[in-house]
Amino acid sequence: AQSVTQLDSHVSVSEGTPVLLRCNYSSSYSPSLFWYVQHPNKGLQLLLKYTSAATLVKGINGFEAEFKKSETSFHLTKPSAHMSDAAEYFCVVSDSEGQNFVFGPGTRLSVLP
Amino acid sequence: EAGVAQSPRYKIIEKRQSVAFWCNPISGHATLYWYQQILGQGPKLLIQFQNNGVVDDSQLPKDRFSAERLKGVDSTLKIQPAKLEDSAVYLCASSPGTGSYEQYFGPGTRLTVT
């Protein structure tokens, strides 16, 4: 069985400061990992994915995440937050065959002016 | 390229009634997913199709939920009879398939059961 823990339900940062959204996973397989963003009243959008290639993954809008197998973590970071980054972020785990998708509970990111 | 289409966008029904949702995936995408997202929670996978075959339906409440994907393209999800706890957003997603598993999501259908 697979599971995802997002350690913070809500993160608040000031515009221009770094963003860190934490994700830990549990998997019986070699996992694939994803981060999705959900803006209010908009559909889920893929930010980035890890599928057993480079452990540091770069995504859209300046986001990146690092896969750390020893820590079973896949934290999402961005050097400088923008007001448009305010949204709900979901960490997702699946097996390497594209099955058994499990979403985390989400982290709401607020960006203060 | 057109995205994943879903209809209706909103639906209000009374408990014990039935309801159906429709999804049209991105052209050429072999894999189609239905998720249930209850307010304040992450999406929960209900069923996954590969072409017109079911890959995973372990979390589908089969006593009241059913889904089909005829001809490996469009899909419908049905609830019969609905319960109050079925109030949620139902999301459809598709992915290219073998070797490429990133999912592209539709706008969802918001269901309210009264």
Side-chain angles (χ1 to χ4, degrees):
Chain A
Q2 306 193 118
S3 66
V4 176
T5 302
Q6 292 185 244
L7 297 157
D8 306 294
S9 60
H10 182 213
V11 170
S12 185
V13 301
S14 297
E15 191 174 21
T17 64
V19 175
L20 169 64
L21 305 182
R22 297 181 291 170
C23 171
N24 287 90
Y25 70 91
S26 172
S27 177
S28 306
Y29 323 98
S30 293
S32 292
L33 293 155
F34 309 80
W35 276 98
Y36 282 84
V37 61
Q38 189 173 39
H39 287 94
N41 300 316
K42 292 193 175 181
L44 283 154
Q45 181 184 19
L46 178 69
L47 277 178
L48 49 80
K49 63 177 180 179
Y50 165 79
T51 54
S52 78
T55 56
L56 182 62
V57 181
K58 295 188 183 298
I60 62 171
N61 300 332
F63 284 95
E64 63 180 39
E66 185 171 9
F67 172 69
K68 292 186 176 181
K69 185 175 181 179
S70 61
E71 299 176 10
T72 61
S73 69
F74 191 58
H75 300 335
L76 182 70
T77 59
K78 183 174 181 177
S80 176
H82 191 273
M83 295 296 288
S84 61
D85 295 328
E88 189 85 17
Y89 291 80
F90 295 97
C91 181
V92 184
V93 65
S94 76
D95 64 27
S96 58
E97 300 300 316
Q99 297 182 29
N100 299 302
F101 281 91
V102 176
F103 274 70
T107 297
R108 182 163 61 93
L109 176 65
S110 297
V111 182
L112 306 175
Chain B
E1 178 181 76
V4 176
Q6 290 188 248
S7 67
R9 291 296 309 278
Y10 305 92
K11 189 75 177 178
I12 301 174
I13 62 172
E14 296 182 352
K15 60 184 179 183
R16 290 187 290 274
Q17 286 186 325
S18 63
V19 64
F21 312 124
W22 174 82
C23 173
N24 181 239
I26 292 173
S27 177
H29 279 194
T31 310
L32 185 147
Y33 314 79
W34 282 103
Y35 288 87
Q36 179 192 60
Q37 186 176 20
I38 292 173
L39 187 65
Q41 299 181 17
K44 182 181 81 171
L45 181 65
L46 294 176
I47 189 166
Q48 178 178 346
F49 293 94
Q50 180 76 15
N51 296 309
N52 60 350
V54 175
V55 171
D56 181 3
D57 64 356
S58 58
Q59 298 194 88
L60 187 73
K62 298 181 186 62
D63 57 334
R64 298 184 301 106
F65 286 64
S66 64
E68 60 181 9
R69 190 183 185 196
L70 298 176
K71 301 181 181 179
V73 182
D74 292 7
S75 177
T76 57
L77 176 70
K78 297 179 181 178
I79 307 175
Q80 183 179 9
K83 293 185 175 181
L84 295 176
E85 57 262 36
D86 298 332
S87 293
V89 176
Y90 290 85
L91 297 166
C92 180
S94 68
S95 68
T98 304
S100 180
Y101 306 121
E102 62 263 35
Q103 298 176 43
Y104 298 83
F105 283 82
T109 296
R110 183 177 298 277
L111 173 67
T112 302
V113 182
T114 63

